[in-house]
Amino acid sequence: MNKLNVPGPKALALIERDKKVISSSYPRGYPFVMDHGKGVEVWDPDGNRFIDMMGGIAVVATGHANSKVVKAVQGAAEKFLHISSDFYHENWIRLSEKLDEIAPFEENTKTFLTNSGTEAVETAIKLAKYKTKRHNFIGFFGAFHGRTMGAVTFTASKPHYHRGFYPLMPGVTHVPFPDPYRPILERKYGEDYGETVVRFIEEEVFGHNVPGDEIAGVLVEPIQGEGGYLVPPDGFFPALRKLCDKYGILLIADEVQSGMGRTGKWWAIEHWNVEPDLVTSAKGIASGMPLGACIARESVMDWPKGVHGNTYGGNPISCAASLATIELLEEKYLANAAEVGQYALDALQEIQVRHTSIGDVRGKGLMIGIEFVKDKGTKEPNEELRNMVEKTAFEYGLLLLGCGKSVIRLAPPLCITKKEMDEALDIFENVIGMAEKDQGLR
């Protein structure tokens, strides 16, 4: 395992140019500069090779520069780049038909295509208000749904997303997300912690604050992303679906990060055999081309002409990339995400036994979180060690990203092989050991 000289001179020069012209609001994690990539491997302009275990934040589903996706983009670009959503084109229709086919509903669907995840969430918020004629919502602490004004109101993973932007959209009540590693509500005997959270919503929120029949929708990530890659207990979604049905509330599954095969199923919510009413998608939907989607039951997305729209909706290039991406997922990468994801989880659980700093390993498919703690008994988060692991991994050729208070997330391209996973986890375990030694934990 060799330490790289990063960032090199070419990368440093680009970083200096960046500082002069690009908004300082971007949360740059560490000084990696992308030059080119193939599959799970990426290179910086100085020729340093890295294994990409964050995949552009769970975006590059089919790997960097996948030849099938590249050819689809090239073919579409040769025909036309744009026509606007005032008119029609076949790739837009084909993609919407395909999303109808894979959507997690028995009912037929309608789809509104967007340019990003946050725009898909804004669409879902507007649609829920329009359909129900209600104006209140339930969101969850730890959630991330985007940064535009409606979506950022639901985002509750870090306070700086809200600081300086008040007043936000009115009518959103946040409740705890069911984190089985760090439960904060008191459970009844024999109760699943997910059921505890749903009971809290009905008894406390509906009982003391907002009437249940005034709630338009519950917006929830099936597996929380930036909140820490939190997998809810098995009782959560069945109980939440039952609650929504009882009060006529729309269940909105934000699958921007967890969907499109990331967890080994098309949609993470399918792990709990629950059907939502709306799904938002983006990130992995087009292998890196900008595209999002709000997919809803046909009976829900029945709003009239002109009430919602966008200029770039159904972009032909992004639609072509998405169709190629979905074909690749169907052919091999959906199954690969499940197989290699379980392989990685098994390996990480073995690594956990060897390291005092790893408090929890969790995930489904290739959406995996590793939580670092100062003490396994107290579970006190070890943010400093997590940050050290992230930075040191970069210096040894491994790209990682944190989430939550003290979690490293693994979200590599879904094409990753077991051999590539072994190489990544070998570097990962070594840098954990270095960080533990620095803190005197070994």
Side-chain angles (χ1 to χ4, degrees):
M1 193 172 79
N2 298 316
K3 188 173 184 179
L4 305 176
N5 180 24
V6 290
K10 292 180 181 179
L12 279 171
L14 287 168
I15 291 168
E16 287 305 308
R17 289 169 59 190
D18 176 287
K19 289 177 182 177
K20 295 176 181 177
V21 293
I22 293 179
S23 172
S24 59
S25 63
Y26 286 105
R28 303 295 171 71
Y30 42 84
F32 171 70
V33 178
M34 179 77 169
D35 184 76
H36 65 282
K38 190 66 180 175
V40 182
E41 298 173 291
V42 295
W43 287 263
D44 72 8
D46 295 288
N48 294 301
R49 171 189 173 269
F50 302 83
I51 303 172
D52 182 4
M53 291 299 286
M54 54 87 184
I57 318 181
V59 169
V60 192
T62 58
H64 293 280
N66 181 283
S67 59
K68 185 168 187 172
V69 177
V70 170
K71 287 177 183 177
V73 167
Q74 291 171 334
E78 288 173 353
K79 295 178 72 175
F80 65 101
L81 297 178
H82 176 72
I83 187 59
S84 101
S85 58
D86 285 355
F87 303 101
Y88 308 85
H89 65 83
E90 186 178 3
N91 274 353
W92 187 359
I93 298 166
R94 285 180 58 212
L95 176 57
S96 298
E97 289 171 340
K98 196 65 187 178
L99 292 173
D100 173 59
E101 181 183 319
I102 66 174
F105 322 114
E106 284 295 325
E107 184 179 333
N108 292 336
T109 70
K110 291 286 183 72
T111 292
F112 184 92
L113 292 183
T114 68
N115 308 290
S116 66
T118 193
E119 189 190 346
V121 170
E122 295 285 350
T123 301
I125 294 167
K126 286 183 69 176
L127 179 57
K129 284 190 171 190
Y130 190 90
K131 181 64 180 179
T132 64
K133 309 304 179 190
R134 303 174 185 179
H135 308 288
N136 296 294
F137 290 85
I138 299 294
F140 291 84
F141 293 119
F144 185 88
H145 299 287
R147 295 178 175 91
T148 51
M149 288 307 291
V152 81
T153 303
F154 287 89
T155 292
S157 53
K158 296 173 184 175
H160 71 244
Y161 291 128
H162 291 175
R163 184 177 290 117
F165 300 112
Y166 291 101
L168 300 174
M169 186 184 89
V172 178
T173 300
H174 288 88
V175 299
F177 187 83
D179 177 359
Y181 186 63
R182 298 183 183 279
I184 61 173
L185 299 176
E186 186 175 347
R187 281 185 287 180
K188 289 183 177 179
Y189 179 76
E191 187 176 53
D192 177 289
Y193 186 57
E195 295 170 337
T196 301
V197 170
V198 175
R199 178 171 57 81
F200 174 85
I201 295 172
E202 183 165 30
E203 293 181 358
E204 302 302 323
V205 178
F206 295 174
H208 300 285
N209 189 18
V210 186
D213 58 9
E214 290 286 340
I215 301 292
V218 174
L219 178 59
V220 60
E221 298 163 279
I223 298 175
Q224 270 201 347
E226 189 167 319
Y229 272 35
L230 301 178
V231 181
D234 289 339
F236 177 57
F237 277 107
L240 188 59
R241 177 72 270 179
K242 186 176 179 181
L243 181 76
C244 289
D245 291 341
K246 181 177 179 179
Y247 291 95
I249 299 167
L250 294 174
L251 178 56
I252 308 166
D254 183 347
E255 296 263 13
V256 168
Q257 187 159 177
S258 60
M260 296 309 297
R262 171 59 47 192
T263 67
K265 293 183 181 289
W266 284 114
W267 313 101
I269 199 168
E270 292 180 302
H271 288 281
W272 295 282
N273 298 312
V274 168
E275 291 190 9
D277 300 298
L278 298 90
V279 170
T280 59
S281 180
K283 290 192 181 290
I285 195 172
S287 294
M289 291 297 292
L291 185 69
C294 177
I295 310 160
R297 297 174 185 267
E298 186 177 36
S299 59
V300 172
M301 192 175 280
D302 60 355
W303 44 8
K305 180 179 179 178
V307 299
H308 192 55
N310 54 10
T311 299
Y312 293 103
N315 174 267
I317 314 303
S318 293
C319 285
S322 183
L323 285 164
T325 296
I326 291 171
E327 286 181 16
L328 286 163
L329 292 173
E330 286 178 320
E331 289 169 6
K332 50 188 174 181
Y333 294 148
L334 196 64
N336 191 68
E339 181 180 350
V340 180
Q342 188 58 55
Y343 177 82
L345 277 167
D346 291 343
L348 284 162
Q349 286 164 357
E350 292 179 9
I351 291 171
Q352 180 183 13
V353 173
R354 297 193 289 268
H355 291 272
T356 60
S357 67
I358 300 178
D360 194 32
V361 172
R362 54 186 177 251
K364 290 186 181 294
L366 288 169
M367 188 173 185
I368 299 170
I370 302 96
E371 182 156 355
F372 291 94
V373 295
K374 294 181 179 179
D375 181 273
K376 290 187 179 184
T378 65
K379 301 182 183 179
E380 182 181 354
N382 197 335
E383 186 175 3
E384 182 182 353
L385 186 139
R386 186 276 308 274
N387 294 343
M388 196 181 306
V389 167
E390 182 182 87
K391 177 180 178 295
T392 307
F394 166 62
E395 294 172 349
Y396 284 90
L398 183 65
L399 300 185
L400 301 171
L401 276 180
C403 61
K405 185 74 173 176
S406 59
V407 178
I408 287 289
R409 64 180 119 184
L410 301 186
L414 306 186
C415 60
I416 190 169
T417 64
K418 290 180 180 178
K419 183 179 179 181
E420 290 166 333
M421 182 62 75
D422 285 340
E423 183 183 358
L425 293 183
D426 182 60
I427 298 171
F428 186 48
E429 183 170 15
N430 272 287
V431 299
I432 291 170
M434 293 177 194
E436 288 178 333
K437 184 177 180 180
D438 189 78
Q439 287 197 351
L441 296 177
R442 298 191 76 184

